[in-house]
């Protein structure tokens, strides 16, 4: 039997190695000169290579079927080609044109790999390039460059993203496509994902339940891992960042390699920050935090498909800037000994794409385990609970052509919340959650100009809890047995008037079921006492989006507007009352509500000044209850302006840059009942840097400063308002990145 097994394995391996599809070609510029080092990448297969000194490239061991290939080179337009492989050798030569403005990318969060212009759902893409990202110890702050995206924060270590006024469980966070679950319902809890090993961030603004189910009612943020090393290469990098405001240090080391069929990598990250300084120089007690992470990945790409395995581990120790801590901590420091929370998260995921002729099949699964601990006095556990989540899904890509795409999918989730070691405080009861769903997605192109995308989804969910406390006592929570089901869907279209001008519209319905905290809370959570409501019903939203995109070689213009009608919108709001100990009482409420607003942006690069980039964006959102009252935690209007100068060579610097930005936030006077208005403010940031050549190695260096004038201000979404503190003051950041190549064949 063993001999038969090895014989069959040998035959399969031989078939995979020798009955291959092959793509070869040359990458050149407009003058037919080779683009040495151009990147050729296949997103669906997680496989790539680089053009040699003559511009030639070769990709082999590829499956049969439709494949998208992205060609890119710094300073040139990206080119995205689609090719159908059928056990053959194929030649694909491409010419890239020079450009001064970054062009569209292949995006994956819309359900399948497509270009940004092809997708009827508008997807914003942000590359974590040191030229563009904000020099800050707060990772979430980097994302707020995207118009329509803000953050709820409690200092540099604890923050949550906000999309068009919705946050927490109303937006879905994905870790490389995997639903990320770490008690995200609370604004006191962190994002839970660090920037180490993340290459791209994709954001869908608006309902996305069709693809992702409950909790995607306000949008999706997908943190996408770095690409593997080019075939035949072992390479790595080391990054160091130093922050003056938090006396912070961040270290990040990664190593990865790829052969013709195998790839893998490992990455370590570490952060240590002391209490931050608000404008004017006063430190904010217990805003210190420490984090470290380790990330592993491996995979195989062959004729049958791609098989990937990822493991992420992260530990976060985060100080709690609450009244007890403020009274107890009188000296600035970085050690966490009292009043802090700890998150220990393990995430193991398997992502597989199988090619079966003209059919593709995705089979994915992931297991995540997050332990949350609150410490009071030294080594005193106040809260200890664990959330275990198993997700699994399958997507079948039916036979299609260049003008159509048909997808049928299934998704499932099992989740279990467990209180550990009978600690004194229990935020939520022990609970089990099951969710199963089916959906289909259709995309069709007519006349090479009009692209339709539509789909429908059905979800079935159950939630059961165990009674918590003693019956008759004020903190008693009875056992629950809830069942929910819902249909959701969307219909969108993109029309290309010309290659430079396109219009996009989308109508979507989505839903969100009440979460465990909203149904069962009854106790103090950090600085406030929170009360849930077991009778809450699912939210249901209907949103219409309209947008326009225009681009040419030196100019892009984007306009977008939306109206989001939410039935039974769930939110937490101050009641104006306090407990007998003086703690403010907040209660989860529900009301028919609506949000509307939009974003606008212009990116201009004067033809006469090729070194100059000018970028301006504006975003606004208004949230109101049908009763007429405003919704809480709605961001104010914001204008972002950026001046960036770039030069290929400046003295000893290569790819030198200077960036000056201003962020002007308007006064937020549309405050909810029991919520205070917030004054406007303007912040100025600056960054300068480039690459220094040391022997044959380029090292990236930059110096950045945020809040240059050390302004004392408070953002409307900062929960530090609850304890009378302000946002961070001036911060200087030094960044060093050292890439290296160990081996290149």
């Amino acid at each position: 039997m063993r001999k038969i097994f090895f014989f069959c394995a040998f035959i399969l391996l031989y078939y995979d190695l020798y009955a291959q599809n092959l793509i070869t070609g040359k990458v050149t510029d407009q003058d037919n000169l080779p683009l040495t080092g151009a990147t050729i990448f296949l997103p669906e297969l997680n496989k790539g290579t680089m053009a040699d000194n003559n511009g030639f490239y070769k990709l082999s061991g590829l499956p049969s079927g439709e494949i998208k290939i992205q060609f890119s080179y710094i300073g040139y337009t990206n080119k995205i080609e689609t090719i159908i492989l059928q056990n053959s050798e194929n030649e694909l030569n491409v010419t890239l044109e020079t450009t001064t403005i970054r062009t569209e990318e292949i995006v994956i969060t819309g359900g399948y790999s497509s270009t940004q212009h092809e997708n009827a759902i508008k997807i914003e893409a942000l590359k974590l390039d040191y030229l563009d990202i904000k020099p800050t110890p707060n990772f979430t702050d980097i994302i707020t460059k995207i118009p329509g995206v803000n953050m709820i924060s409690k200092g540099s270590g604890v923050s949550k993203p906000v999309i068009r006024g919705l946050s927490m469980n109303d937006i879905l966070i994905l870790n490389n496509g995997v639903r990320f679950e770490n008690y995200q319902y609370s604004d006191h809890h962190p994002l839970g994902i660090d920037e180490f090993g993340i290459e791209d961030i994709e954001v869908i603004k608006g309902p996305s339940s069709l693809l992702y189910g409950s909790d995607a009612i306000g949008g999706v943020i997908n943190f996408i891992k770095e690409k593997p090393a080019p075939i035949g290469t072992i390479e790595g990098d080391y990054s160091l960042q130093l922050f003056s405001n938090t006396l912070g240090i961040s270290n990040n080391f990664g190593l990865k390699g790829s052969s013709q069929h195998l790839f893998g990598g490992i990455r370590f990250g570490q952060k240590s920050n002391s209490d931050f300084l608000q404008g004017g120089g006063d430190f904010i007690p217990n805003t210190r935090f420490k984090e470290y992470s380790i990330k592993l990945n491996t995979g195989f790409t062959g004729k049958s498909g791609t098989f990937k395995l990822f493991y992420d581990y992260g530990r976060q120790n985060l100080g709690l800037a609450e009244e007890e801590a403020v009274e107890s901590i009188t000296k600035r420091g970085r050690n966490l000994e009292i009043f802090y929370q700890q998150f220990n998260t393990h995430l193991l995921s398997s992502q597989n794409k199988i090619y079966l002729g003209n059919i593709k099949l995705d089979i994915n699964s992931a297991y995540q385990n997050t332990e949350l601990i609150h410490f009071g006095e030294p080594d005193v556990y106040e809260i200890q609970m664990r959330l275990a989540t198993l997700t699994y899904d399958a997507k079948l890509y039916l036979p299609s052509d260049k003008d159509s795409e048909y997808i049928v999918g299934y998704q499932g989730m099992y989740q279990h919340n467990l209180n550990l070691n009978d600690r004194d405080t229990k935020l939520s009861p022990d609970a089990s959650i099951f969710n199963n769903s089916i959906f289909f997605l259709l995309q069709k192109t007519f006349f090479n100009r009009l692209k339709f995308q539509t789909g429908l989804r059905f979800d079935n969910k159950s939630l059961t809890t165990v009674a918590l406390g003693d019956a008759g006592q004020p903190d008693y929570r009875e056992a629950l047995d809830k069942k929910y089901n819902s249909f959701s869907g969307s219909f969108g279209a993109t029309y290309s008037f010309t290659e430079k001008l396109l219009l996009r519209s989308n109508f979507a319905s989505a839903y969100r079921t009440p979460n465990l905290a909203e149904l069962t809370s009854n106790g103090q959570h950090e600085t406030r006492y929170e009360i849930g409501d077991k009778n809450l019903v699912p939210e249901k939203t209907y949103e219409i989006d309209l947008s326009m995109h225009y681009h040419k070689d030196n100019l892009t213009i984007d306009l977008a507007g939306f109206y989001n009608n939410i039935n039974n919108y769930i939110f937490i709001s101050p009641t104006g009352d306090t407990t007998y100990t003086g703690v403010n009482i907040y209660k989860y409420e529900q009301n028919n509500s609506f949000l509307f607003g939009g974003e606008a942006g212009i990116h201009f690069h004067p033809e006469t000044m090729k070194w100059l980039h000018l970028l301006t964006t504006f975003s606004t959102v208004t949230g109101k209850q049908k009763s007429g009252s405003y919704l809480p935690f709605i961001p104010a209007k914001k204008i972002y302006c950026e001046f960036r100068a770039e030069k290929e060579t400046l003295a000893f610097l290569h790819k030198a840059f200077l960036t000056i930005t201003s962020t002007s936030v308007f006064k937020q006077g549309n405050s909810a009942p029991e919520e205070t208005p917030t004054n406007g403010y303007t912040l100025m940031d600056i960054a300068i840097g480039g690459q220094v050549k040391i022997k044959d190695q380029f090292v990236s260096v930059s110096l950045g400063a945020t809040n240059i004038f050390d302004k004392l201000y408070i953002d409307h979404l900062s929960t530090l308002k609850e304890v009378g503190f302000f946002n961070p003051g001036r911060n200087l950041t030094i960044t060093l990145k050292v890439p290296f190549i160990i081996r290149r064949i």
Side-chain angles (χ1 to χ4, degrees):
M1 186 67 184
R2 181 178 299 178
K3 293 181 179 180
I4 296 175
F5 172 79
F6 281 112
F7 177 76
C8 293
F10 176 79
I11 294 297
L12 288 172
L13 180 62
Y14 179 89
Y15 179 77
D16 197 70
L17 291 175
Y18 294 98
Q20 296 180 354
N21 287 298
L22 180 69
I23 303 176
T24 60
K26 186 176 183 180
V27 186
T28 58
D29 64 11
Q30 294 155 293
D31 298 322
N32 203 35
L33 296 175
L35 290 178
T36 302
T39 300
I40 302 93
F41 187 65
L42 288 69
E44 292 178 297
L45 297 177
N46 203 44
K47 185 174 185 176
T49 189
M50 298 175 69
D52 64 17
N53 292 333
N54 298 312
F56 289 107
Y57 73 93
K58 176 182 177 182
L59 290 166
S60 60
L62 306 176
S64 297
E66 184 180 288
I67 303 290
K68 279 188 170 63
I69 311 174
Q70 177 168 307
F71 299 86
S72 57
Y73 193 75
I74 295 175
Y76 290 77
T77 57
N78 291 336
K79 193 157 192 178
I80 299 163
E81 299 284 352
T82 300
I83 187 170
I84 297 177
L85 303 179
Q86 295 179 335
N87 296 324
S88 59
E89 295 185 6
N90 302 267
E91 183 176 349
L92 181 58
N93 300 313
V94 298
T95 299
L96 302 184
E97 300 178 358
T98 56
T99 185
T100 53
I101 294 178
R102 179 170 285 158
T103 54
E104 62 174 336
E105 302 277 349
I106 285 185
V107 291
I108 61 174
T109 311
Y112 53 91
S113 294
S114 66
T115 69
Q116 289 174 278
H117 294 170
E118 287 177 336
N119 209 301
I121 300 174
K122 183 172 175 57
I123 301 176
E124 300 274 7
L126 177 66
K127 297 192 77 67
L128 290 193
D129 188 330
Y130 81 107
L131 287 170
D132 296 328
I133 64 174
K134 187 174 182 178
T136 170
N138 188 344
F139 181 38
T140 309
D141 199 10
I142 293 171
I143 315 171
T144 61
K145 178 180 178 179
I146 299 173
V149 178
N150 294 274
M151 68 173 178
I152 295 174
S153 68
K154 198 179 189 70
S156 301
V158 179
S159 56
K160 309 287 284 189
V162 179
I163 301 177
R164 290 177 169 177
L166 297 178
S167 58
M168 270 79 80
N169 272 88
D170 284 321
I171 64 174
L172 184 64
I173 302 298
L174 302 178
N175 184 343
N176 205 43
V178 175
R179 181 187 182 101
F180 192 70
E181 296 284 333
N182 72 327
Y183 297 107
Q184 68 269 33
Y185 62 81
S186 173
D187 55 46
H188 296 286
H189 296 163
L191 172 66
I193 298 175
D194 61 39
E195 63 271 34
F196 305 138
I198 301 297
E199 185 167 317
D200 299 285
I201 302 172
E202 294 180 2
V203 178
I204 300 177
K205 293 182 285 191
S208 305
S209 289
L210 169 62
L211 294 171
Y212 298 104
S214 180
D215 298 353
I217 195 169
V220 174
I221 301 179
N222 191 5
F223 296 91
I224 300 170
K225 292 184 180 295
E226 61 190 315
K227 297 180 179 67
I231 294 171
T233 301
I234 300 175
E235 62 183 26
D237 62 83
Y238 167 74
S239 297
L240 169 70
Q241 281 191 303
L242 302 174
F243 306 100
S244 68
N245 186 282
T246 60
L247 302 177
I249 182 170
S250 174
N251 288 284
N252 171 25
F253 174 79
L255 189 66
K256 59 185 179 180
S258 294
S259 66
Q260 189 63 44
H261 291 280
L262 299 174
F263 56 87
I266 184 170
R267 185 165 290 278
F268 302 93
Q270 172 266 339
K271 298 179 182 181
S272 176
N273 293 266
S274 70
D275 304 317
F276 79 80
L277 304 178
Q278 64 182 15
D282 293 332
F283 85 93
I284 310 304
N286 215 32
T287 53
R288 60 196 70 176
F289 65 98
K290 293 183 178 181
E291 302 179 11
Y292 69 84
S293 63
I294 179 171
K295 302 176 182 182
L296 306 167
N297 75 86
T298 187
F300 172 84
T301 298
K303 185 176 177 61
S304 54
T306 299
F307 309 90
K308 297 178 286 186
L309 188 65
F310 301 91
Y311 171 72
D312 293 5
Y313 171 73
R315 168 172 284 193
Q316 297 175 288
N317 291 330
L318 308 160
L320 297 169
E322 55 188 26
E323 291 182 0
E324 291 175 294
V326 170
E327 294 171 357
S328 302
I329 295 175
T330 58
K331 296 178 99 177
R332 190 183 187 199
R334 67 177 65 243
N335 292 327
L336 293 121
E337 297 175 349
I338 60 174
F339 303 111
Y340 70 97
Q341 56 184 337
Q342 182 181 101
F343 288 82
N344 295 290
T345 300
H346 300 264
L347 174 59
L348 179 66
S349 63
S350 172
Q351 301 177 7
N352 312 288
K353 186 178 290 290
I354 301 171
Y355 286 79
L356 304 168
N358 57 355
I359 294 175
K360 291 183 289 187
L361 177 65
D362 285 355
I363 301 178
N364 307 314
S365 61
Y367 175 75
Q368 180 178 335
N369 187 308
T370 295
E371 183 179 9
L372 166 61
I373 304 172
H374 279 214
F375 293 95
E377 298 300 328
D379 299 320
V380 175
Y381 288 68
E382 294 183 336
I383 300 169
Q384 188 177 15
M385 54 200 299
R386 179 184 296 137
L387 185 67
T389 305
L390 175 66
T391 57
Y392 39 93
D393 67 81
K395 286 194 293 187
L396 181 65
Y397 298 78
L398 298 174
S400 60
D401 53 42
K402 66 176 184 177
D403 293 326
S404 62
E405 191 91 32
Y406 309 93
I407 302 174
V408 177
Y410 165 79
Q411 292 177 345
M413 181 182 77
Y414 169 70
Q415 194 169 66
H416 184 63
N417 183 66
L418 180 66
N419 287 283
L420 303 174
N421 299 317
D422 195 28
R423 303 303 181 187
D424 289 340
T425 301
K426 297 179 177 62
L427 293 180
S428 302
D430 295 350
S432 295
I433 300 169
F434 290 89
N435 191 90
N436 291 282
S437 61
I438 56 173
F439 67 92
F440 80 87
L441 180 67
L442 161 67
Q443 181 163 284
K444 185 72 175 177
T445 302
F446 299 92
F447 322 117
N448 292 321
R449 291 181 178 271
L450 181 62
K451 187 179 296 290
F452 284 103
Q453 180 177 302
T454 187
L456 185 66
R457 179 189 183 101
F458 176 75
D459 280 83
N460 181 270
K461 183 175 183 178
S462 66
L463 181 150
T464 58
T465 71
V466 178
L468 184 60
D470 297 323
Q473 296 300 313
D475 61 350
Y476 175 69
R477 281 165 273 187
E478 65 181 84
L480 300 179
D481 186 4
K482 298 282 188 178
K483 298 189 184 304
Y484 308 101
N485 57 74
S486 179
F487 283 96
S488 54
S490 70
F491 178 82
T494 299
Y495 184 75
S496 300
F497 282 92
T498 66
E499 290 185 358
K500 295 179 170 54
L501 176 65
L502 66 89
L503 296 181
R504 182 184 284 110
S505 65
N506 190 62
F507 174 79
S509 67
Y511 82 103
R512 181 176 77 81
T513 59
N515 63 47
L516 200 56
E518 293 164 341
L519 292 168
T520 65
S521 290
N522 188 12
Q524 186 170 344
H525 190 192
E526 271 97 46
T527 59
R528 63 198 192 195
Y529 193 98
E530 298 180 358
I531 300 176
D533 184 352
K534 66 178 182 180
N535 296 313
L536 294 175
V537 298
E539 298 176 344
K540 189 73 174 181
T541 184
Y542 303 92
E543 178 170 313
I544 184 167
D545 291 85
L546 297 171
S547 64
M548 182 275 288
H549 173 83
Y550 174 79
H551 69 275
K552 50 189 274 187
D553 290 343
N554 68 328
L555 176 69
T556 62
I557 300 174
D558 281 285
L559 297 172
F562 70 94
Y563 180 87
N564 190 358
N565 185 82
I566 307 178
N567 293 328
N568 302 309
Y569 177 58
I570 303 170
F571 57 95
I572 190 168
S573 181
T575 63
D577 294 330
T578 63
T579 65
Y580 71 93
T581 58
V583 178
N584 291 322
I585 297 176
Y586 282 65
K587 186 175 182 179
Y588 286 101
E589 300 179 5
Q590 192 163 47
N591 204 337
N592 292 339
S593 305
F594 59 93
L595 299 99
F596 62 91
E599 301 89 36
I602 180 169
H603 185 178
F604 178 54
H605 175 82
E607 292 183 352
T608 56
M609 293 181 285
K610 294 187 178 299
W611 50 269
L612 177 63
H613 291 261
L614 300 172
L615 172 68
T616 299
T617 64
F618 170 75
S619 57
T620 177
V621 58
T622 300
K624 299 186 72 173
Q625 303 178 43
K626 291 293 178 65
S627 62
S629 299
Y630 288 100
L631 292 172
F633 291 109
I634 299 297
K637 297 179 178 66
K638 181 172 70 174
I639 296 177
Y640 172 84
C641 298
E642 179 179 301
F643 167 97
R644 187 167 79 248
E646 298 176 352
K647 193 167 179 59
E648 191 65 27
T649 304
L650 180 64
F652 61 89
L653 285 177
H654 299 263
K655 300 187 184 304
F657 72 92
L658 168 67
T659 302
I660 301 174
T661 67
S662 71
T663 303
S664 296
V665 178
F666 291 56
K667 177 180 179 180
Q668 179 55 289
N670 298 333
S671 53
E674 307 301 334
E675 187 182 47
T676 58
T678 308
N679 292 327
Y681 58 88
T682 297
L683 303 178
M684 298 289 295
D685 305 332
I686 189 171
I688 185 171
Q691 296 180 347
V692 179
K693 190 173 184 180
I694 302 176
K695 293 186 178 180
D696 294 327
Q697 178 66 56
F698 283 101
V699 176
S700 299
V701 293
S702 66
L703 174 65
T706 56
N707 193 0
I708 297 173
F709 301 110
D710 202 28
K711 187 175 183 62
L712 183 68
Y713 76 100
I714 187 71
D715 187 83
H716 189 68
L717 301 184
S718 173
T719 57
L720 289 171
K721 290 175 68 176
E722 300 170 3
V723 285
F725 293 120
F726 295 84
N727 283 76
R730 183 189 300 114
N731 174 63
L732 302 179
T733 302
I734 297 174
T735 300
L736 172 71
K737 182 174 182 179
V738 184
F740 55 87
I741 297 176
I742 295 178
R743 180 185 179 191
R744 177 172 288 167
I745 299 175

